[in-house]
Amino acid sequence: MDGHLMEPTLYTVKGIAILDNDGHRLLAKYYDKNIFSTTKEQKAFEKNIFNKTHRSNSEIIMMDGMTCVYQSSVDLYFYVMGDSHENELILMSVLHCLFESISVILRRNVEKRAVLDNLDVVMLAMDEICDGGIILDANPINVVQRVALRSDDTPLGEQTVAQVLQSAKEQLKWSLLK
Amino acid sequence: MNAFKRDKKEEEDGGGNPFSNLEKTTVLQEARTFNDTPVNPRKCGQILTKILYLLNQGEQLGTTEATEAFFAMTKLFQSRDVVLRRLVYLGIKELSTVAEDVIIVTSSLTKDMTGKEDLYRAAAIRALCTITDSGMLAAIERYMKQAIVDKSPSVASAALVSSLHLSGVSSDVARRWANEAQEALNSDSVMVQYHALGVLYQARKSDRHAVIKLVAKLMKSSPKSPYAACMLIRMACKLLDESNEGNELMEFIESCLRHKSEMVVYEAAHAIVNLARSGIREIAPAISVLQHFCSSSKPALRFAAVRTLNKVAMTHPTAVTACNLDLENLITDSNRSIATLAITTLLKTGAESSVDR
């Protein structure tokens, strides 16, 4: 067969990118060392794909031998890339999960400003969806559960005595370990 | 619209993006705050986010810079802030390839992975495995085996996925942990099932007989996870491709055409038309599934269908003729890739009558 049968492997995702409305990278990850090994190549690809996709909202495109699914919202563009023979619906499920989880994290306010304000949690979400090219979870509910539990940001003055004691204990332990 | 204008203005004022104009040296200098006690989680979290952002933008750190930042970051293990801890794991993963002596965090990560907090454990396992080399592998083996059969799905998945990555470090990892992966295969979690199957395949792929046994066993129970089902179809295809036998395998793939998940149905249809052994009779049910997908409201599904039909048209043009009408409807599709694929497919299957239309 001429290689159109897909090799049984869990390494499905080649890359994930979030671009702004100028085509600049907000966040991007590439999981296959053999494609776009340098930042320069990656950014050239991102520019290219942005130019081809930013005007149309048609969800899927073939580019540079890869299948790329995408979705936009206000001033953001979400992309998930896979091999050109990859099952498109699997890639779509990853894109859907990425978009939905970020949408929940940002309280349905999916725009650049909100992403930048919550960049830490958005990065964690991307990390929970895909690990080194393997889909870790494609269920947005699970992903959000795993990242969005912000501890109640209690300022130092309002910490309970137990918390203060605990942190003092930890610090002491650290100074001893040094 | 108003909100949009306001944002636009903010951006022009330079106050829109807190991450624009970040300087590598300044940020790394800020990272010295990590050494302060007590740790200020909010402030350190922001600085760490900036570092991660810079790395994500492709900023290169020298070995010394990276090592310094890495060691500063290890001080943040003192804090119990959940988000900060998770960012530290991310930082460890990002810097592990550049910084030196990264194994310094081994004990901290082992402690987190064996601790009580499930959310720490899963992420700690994944971070730990990125800094693990062949020498360290034996030391964490016991914990990894335990984690694979853990009842928390996130922990089990993290361990399974990490063991696949570790196959690059030591090729027999998957084989050594296969018993645990076998147990994880029975998990209720769809993702754990999928990841376990991946590890088992990795462990057995060089032994054709073992793969046949694995596939045969799974075909009977038919995995709940659509991802695992897709993987199983691919495994079955590989077996079919290598030998002339295997009617049960073929039957299994055909039965997947009636799966309730579109993902699996498409995977099966794609597999059937791409198998060298498939003749007109075998591909007929697959073609009718693809034909049905051609009128889906989802562009990705239409794309997948027409791309596969395009491929079949090269070998079995007559089988695709039945879809000509559906393909003609796709010529005006708003997605240009779909339209193009529809046209080229029709060129292979179309008769003069359709050219007139």
Side-chain angles (χ1 to χ4, degrees):
Chain A
M1 218 32 224
D2 41 357
H4 289 288
L5 282 176
M6 287 161 281
E7 183 66 19
T9 169
L10 296 196
Y11 290 89
T12 313
V13 182
K14 300 278 180 206
I16 294 181
I18 305 175
L19 308 182
D20 69 7
N21 57 347
D22 296 315
H24 293 142
R25 173 194 291 191
L26 282 185
L27 286 173
K29 277 229 111 353
Y30 293 85
Y31 301 105
D32 189 337
K33 287 192 185 70
N34 301 316
I35 52 157
F36 311 131
S37 45
T38 66
T39 312
K40 208 174 144 198
E41 283 173 291
Q42 293 170 4
K43 294 211 166 165
F45 170 78
E46 283 159 23
K47 201 181 170 70
N48 206 349
I49 195 149
F50 177 77
N51 286 335
K52 288 234 167 75
T53 55
H54 78 287
R55 250 182 265 275
S56 68
N57 210 352
S58 46
E59 203 171 288
I60 186 160
I61 190 172
M62 295 273 278
M63 277 261 310
D64 298 350
M66 280 195 293
T67 302
C68 184
V69 293
Y70 62 97
Q71 181 172 356
S72 66
S73 167
V74 195
D75 50 1
L76 288 175
Y77 292 80
F78 297 82
Y79 299 87
V80 173
M81 281 78 80
D83 188 87
S84 60
H85 299 296
E86 190 47 72
N87 184 328
E88 289 86 348
L89 303 182
I90 296 184
L91 296 176
M92 273 312 283
S93 75
V94 178
L95 176 69
H96 173 256
C97 176
L98 176 73
F99 190 84
E100 270 305 306
S101 5
I102 290 179
S103 168
V104 174
I105 290 165
L106 304 179
R107 300 192 174 80
R108 301 282 156 199
N109 178 31
V110 186
E111 51 180 14
K112 182 176 171 181
R113 179 71 221 208
V115 167
L116 289 169
D117 287 343
N118 297 280
L119 198 65
D120 46 357
V121 188
V122 172
M123 285 196 283
L124 292 179
M126 267 174 79
D127 183 58
E128 286 297 333
I129 294 170
C130 184
D131 185 299
I134 298 180
I135 304 168
L136 198 58
D137 207 324
N139 183 342
I141 300 170
N142 292 348
V143 171
V144 170
Q145 242 170 27
R146 288 178 195 178
V147 295
L149 31 78
R150 271 201 177 284
S151 53
D152 320 303
D153 301 13
T154 354
L156 194 61
E158 287 160 43
Q159 281 182 354
T160 62
V161 180
Q163 276 173 325
V164 174
L165 269 178
Q166 180 64 34
S167 68
K169 226 194 271 173
E170 298 245 311
Q171 274 159 34
L172 184 69
K173 204 160 65 193
W174 263 93
S175 55
L176 288 176
L177 281 174
K178 255 181 238 171
Chain B
M1 195 60 210
N2 271 332
F4 179 67
K5 260 187 201 152
R6 200 186 60 231
D7 279 355
K8 197 81 190 155
K9 196 162 166 297
E10 266 178 14
E11 254 177 58
E12 276 158 12
D13 293 341
N17 182 352
F19 295 98
S20 61
N21 315 318
L22 281 184
E23 272 284 345
K24 180 173 78 170
T25 38
T26 329
V27 177
L28 289 177
Q29 217 143 40
E30 281 179 348
R32 292 188 185 156
T33 320
F34 295 169
N35 291 311
D36 293 354
T37 44
V39 171
N40 179 339
R42 172 160 289 196
K43 199 167 153 205
C44 292
Q46 274 166 359
I47 297 167
L48 193 45
T49 308
K50 284 186 198 167
I51 296 178
L52 289 167
Y53 177 81
L54 282 179
L55 290 170
N56 198 279
Q57 290 297 316
E59 190 78 56
Q60 301 285 341
L61 296 193
T63 314
T64 329
E65 284 174 327
T67 311
E68 253 173 52
F70 190 89
F71 272 72
M73 208 170 62
T74 59
K75 302 284 165 57
L76 300 178
F77 269 105
Q78 294 172 82
S79 165
R80 295 174 71 85
D81 184 272
V82 181
V83 174
L84 183 61
R85 178 68 61 98
R86 299 286 295 273
L87 287 173
V88 171
Y89 298 148
L90 266 192
I92 290 172
K93 288 197 274 191
E94 293 296 325
L95 290 174
S96 63
T97 46
V98 206
E100 281 174 337
D101 301 323
V102 289
I103 52 165
I104 192 88
V105 290
T106 308
S107 63
S108 305
L109 289 173
T110 324
K111 206 175 116 215
D112 283 355
M113 88 178 256
T114 51
K116 281 199 204 88
E117 181 63 76
D118 279 353
L119 291 157
Y120 281 3
R121 291 167 66 208
I125 289 169
R126 296 195 285 130
L128 180 61
C129 289
T130 55
I131 59 160
T132 299
D133 55 25
S134 48
M136 259 170 66
L137 203 55
I140 64 161
E141 178 146 7
R142 188 163 61 92
Y143 302 118
M144 286 300 286
K145 283 182 171 178
Q146 271 167 19
I148 290 176
V149 292
D150 197 276
K151 62 180 184 304
S152 155
S154 61
V155 173
S157 275
L160 286 162
V161 169
S162 299
S163 47
L164 270 179
H165 295 323
L166 283 175
S167 295
V169 173
S170 165
S171 55
D172 65 340
V173 166
R175 218 170 313 140
R176 291 207 318 251
W177 303 348
N179 283 339
E180 285 74 17
Q182 184 76 54
E183 200 178 324
L185 198 58
N186 302 322
S187 166
D188 287 331
S189 154
V190 291
M191 288 325 271
V192 174
Q193 205 176 57
Y194 171 57
H195 296 138
L197 183 57
V199 171
L200 282 174
Y201 181 71
Q202 171 71 27
R204 298 179 182 177
K205 66 178 177 190
S206 52
D207 179 356
R208 190 180 147 79
H209 218 72
V211 177
I212 292 177
K213 262 168 72 185
L214 178 64
V215 173
K217 195 174 150 222
L218 279 168
M219 275 185 336
K220 268 183 243 141
S221 56
S222 201
K224 224 174 25 171
S225 154
Y227 297 97
C230 288
M231 176 81 179
L232 190 58
I233 292 173
R234 291 183 198 187
M235 287 162 62
C237 275
K238 203 168 158 70
L239 290 174
L240 282 168
D241 209 31
E242 286 161 358
S243 94
N244 289 318
E245 303 147 61
N247 284 328
E248 316 84 54
L249 293 174
M250 202 64 197
E251 274 164 33
F252 164 72
I253 300 176
E254 266 175 36
S255 76
C256 287
L257 288 174
R258 295 180 294 278
H259 198 278
K260 63 179 184 302
S261 158
E262 278 175 344
M263 186 193 284
V264 181
V265 176
Y266 169 64
E267 182 77 40
H270 182 273
I272 292 173
V273 302
N274 278 296
L275 273 170
R277 61 157 69 200
S278 295
I280 295 276
R281 200 174 58 81
E282 282 83 8
I283 63 172
I287 299 274
S288 70
V289 162
L290 293 171
Q291 179 176 13
H292 178 70
F293 284 166
C294 278
S295 47
S296 162
S297 61
K298 297 175 194 155
L301 197 49
R302 296 200 299 275
F303 176 89
V306 69
R307 196 167 64 100
T308 312
L309 287 172
N310 185 40
K311 180 89 203 323
V312 192
M314 285 199 262
T315 46
H316 300 289
T318 47
V320 186
T321 320
C323 309
N324 275 3
L325 222 58
D326 304 85
L327 289 168
E328 280 169 37
N329 288 332
L330 293 180
I331 292 180
T332 50
D333 200 285
S334 60
N335 183 319
R336 271 180 54 196
S337 315
I338 296 178
T340 317
L341 280 165
I343 293 169
T344 54
T345 314
L346 280 169
L347 286 175
K348 289 166 201 145
T349 63
E352 275 172 52
S353 60
S354 59
V355 173
D356 287 341
R357 284 201 299 257

